[in-house]
């Protein structure tokens, strides 16, 4: 298997490491080009699928943090279409 076990967890870990190392330039590239273009789709599906309140709160907190980082640094995220026709 060539896919990471937890893509969102890995992306957030790398983002945290970049911010901690004060590599804001790299962190903003990660946000703008790799994480945020699909995060809203993920977040909506995750929020709809979970019934555990703690996970919903974690999801909302993560979304708020990522949105705050984008707003702070003026990141404009390209809107991407969600091609999955799956309802949750």
């Amino acid at each position: 298997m060539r896919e990471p076990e937890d893509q969102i967890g890995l992306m957030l870990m790398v983002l945290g490491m970049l911010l901690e190392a004060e590599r804001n330039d790299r962190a903003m590239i990660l946000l703008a080009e790799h994480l945020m273009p699909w995060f809203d789709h993920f977040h909506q599906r995750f929020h709809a699928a979970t019934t555990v309140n703690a996970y919903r709160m974690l999801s909302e907190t993560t979304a708020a943090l990522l949105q705050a980082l984008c707003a702070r640094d003026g990141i404009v995220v390209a809107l991407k279409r969600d091609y999955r026709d799956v309802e949750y």
Side-chain angles (χ1 to χ4, degrees), residues 5 8 15 26 33 35 40-42 44-45 49 52 54-55 60 62 69-70 74-77 79-81 85 87-88:
E5 290 182 27
I8 187 71
L15 179 62
R26 300 287 180 165
E33 296 179 17
L35 179 56
D40 282 338
H41 302 298
F42 166 81
Q44 289 171 5
R45 280 194 210 104
V52 178
Y55 289 143
E60 293 300 322
T62 302
L69 286 171
C70 289
I75 293 174
V76 177
V77 178
L79 296 177
K80 301 285 183 166
R81 180 172 176 218
D85 293 323
E87 291 185 15
Y88 288 95

Side-chain angles (χ1 to χ4, degrees), residues 16-64:
M17 291 169 64
L18 290 170
L19 291 171
E20 185 177 28
E22 297 182 8
R23 295 299 312 260
N24 291 345
D25 56 335
R26 300 287 180 165
M28 297 311 108
I29 291 170
L30 177 66
L31 276 170
E33 296 179 17
H34 302 288
L35 179 56
M36 293 308 290
W38 61 266
F39 179 78
D40 282 338
H41 302 298
F42 166 81
H43 173 66
Q44 289 171 5
R45 280 194 210 104
F46 181 83
H47 191 77
T50 189
T51 58
V52 178
N53 194 39
Y55 289 143
R56 282 190 173 171
M57 290 172 50
L58 179 61
S59 174
E60 293 300 322
T61 301
T62 302

